[in-house]
Amino acid sequence: MDQPAISDYGFLSDCRSGALVGRNGSIDWWCPDRFDAPSVFGRILGPQAGHWRLAPVAAGRAGHRVERSYRPDTLVLRTVHHTPEGSVAVTDALAAELGARGHELGRNSPAVLLRVVEGLSGRVPMELDFCPRPDYGLLTPYLHDQPDGGVLAACGSVTLTLRGDGLPLRAGRDRVRHEFAVSAGDVVGFDLAYGPAYGDPPARLDPVVALAETVQAWEAYRESHHYPGEYADLVRHSATVLTGLTYTRSGAVAAALTTSLPEELGGDRNYDYRLSWLRDFAMTLRAFWVAACPYEASRLFAWVARSIGQVGQMPVPVMFGLAGERDLSEHELAHLPGYAGSRPVSVGNDAWRQRQLDVPGEVILAIWQLGDYLGTSFDKELREMVLGLAEQVATTWHLPDRGMWEAREEERHYLSSKVLCWAAMDKAVALAPRLGERADPRRWAAVRDEIRATVLREGWNDRVGAYTASFGSAELGASALYLPVVRFLPATDPRMRATIEAVERELGTPDGLIRRWADEPAGFLLCSFWLVECLVMAGERERARRLFERVVEHANDVGLLSEQIDPRDGAQLGNTPQALSHVGLINAAWRLTAPTAE
């Protein structure tokens, strides 16, 4: 099998888990129990890891053409195949619970994949190839014919039931293959239901009815969110993607749907992103507010508060599992070759062990952003969290750390980490009236001012003429673009303006994207959106608008952004869809909308 491009995949979600379906009609990624559970389809990481293909027999041959689109304001994907024999549509979705409306979406998702085939013209021969491989391809299930014409796949901790509407399916030795034809007006539905091996049996749904219900559930959800700014279609779609990456049962937002999709083809920077980062918290919270999603913002905040627990001497964790798990120890799936031969394939992420001094700042900044929503006084747990975070920053800000990009070499004094420590102290001072008698705003203000003076003195490099990635370094880093975003310095400050220009000149790609550091091969989408924000704040709104419109052109045909873009051919790289890329889009669009550049 030729390896599909990352941009070839569309994203399905039931706000419990998600799936990737290619332009070729193959579902090559699905972890049905929840986003970070083992996959039952994992062919994107290796041909032996399972898939479910449903497409015309002529797919991929001469005369075959594909058009795709989401039903508006949903993650229900419609793919139209035009073949020499005629045209057929396949609509794919992860089922919502029947009757779910509004914020009920995802609370009790049944873990059922729906695929509905509709004949549009002619008579099109179709083929189905169902090849489940649970536990990331380590297991091959037994397949059993069922009295209703379905097939049961049972293995390890997984039970899957595949049914075709009026089509008798038959089990092969390790897969189900079936050919059928559809004429104009024909509708054939399939449902694939997951259940645990020793729990309740998989749900049974009428695929056509369940698909209509799922569309209505997404539409009802989006009806309550009204974004008033520019680029409304892009923002609404990105907000839908963020909703699709939200594990509704807890409120956590997964950084991406996938693990181990490479930052460079054949490279080894391949990490598991199916977790939730505190580093991303303030940016994501802001994006939810911009996109008129206050409920999601409050749920995410509640998840963070509960996950952190009491703050002690240990560094605040960088990330958590989607239900608040702290130990996310990383291990390699050595049996998988990886996407395009990019190894290792990893589960878990050892960055959870790192010290990243920016994290408390992101959390306190997010609390400050919530402002009046949290009221004039905080409850005991919230007070204790802010007090604990502030005190931890006050006593540790001078230490080196691994930085916001989670370097796996030696610790350094990263510029962005110190700036977020400043933000933590600055906002703790502002929040002090809500924190009770143990608040120490005078001391915090003194620490804040000391951090600021240190950053201005040690972060600037006269020879480079810019603020650099870490103290004493001549290396530029795109994280310097975050300084105006968190209001450490205005974008019009002469040294900040020089830094923006240096980053754009030295770290920019020919199409305007920004790399995180000089030897990074690909443009990083979040940093590119930061540059848009910086240009607006520097008074260059029209240049910022042109850059924004160039960056968003890197979305695939259904509006999805991965983490990075290869400047040589525009190919998407990294885990997908990437939450921070869509967060960056939303926040940059709002910055372009705002009447002032503040």
Side-chain angles (χ1 to χ4, degrees), residues 262-333:
E263 298 178 10
E264 180 180 11
L265 294 183
D268 61 359
R269 289 181 57 83
N270 316 321
Y271 304 122
D272 193 347
Y273 276 17
R274 301 171 299 159
L275 309 164
S276 194
W277 267 253
L278 296 192
R279 176 202 63 200
D280 307 347
F281 183 40
M283 289 179 276
T284 304
L285 201 72
R286 178 181 167 217
F288 274 140
W289 277 101
V290 164
C293 304
Y295 177 81
E296 292 81 352
S298 63
R299 288 268 292 157
L300 176 60
F301 177 81
W303 171 81
V304 167
R306 178 165 182 168
S307 296
I308 289 176
Q310 295 190 38
V311 179
Q313 298 301 312
M314 294 291 291
V316 177
V318 175
M319 67 188 81
F320 291 95
L322 301 180
E325 299 89 348
R326 186 162 179 157
D327 186 340
L328 305 172
S329 297
E330 183 176 312
H331 68 276
E332 182 179 350
L333 301 178

Side-chain angles (χ1 to χ4, degrees), residues 103 221-222 224-228 235-236 238-243 246 284-300 370 373 586:
H103 294 113
Y221 179 87
R222 291 254 53 98
S224 61
H225 303 87
H226 302 287
Y227 167 73
V235 169
R236 285 173 66 88
S238 285
T240 300
V241 173
L242 290 182
T243 299
T246 300
T284 304
L285 201 72
R286 178 181 167 217
F288 274 140
W289 277 101
V290 164
C293 304
Y295 177 81
E296 292 81 352
S298 63
R299 288 268 292 157
L300 176 60
L370 281 174
Y373 188 82
I586 292 170

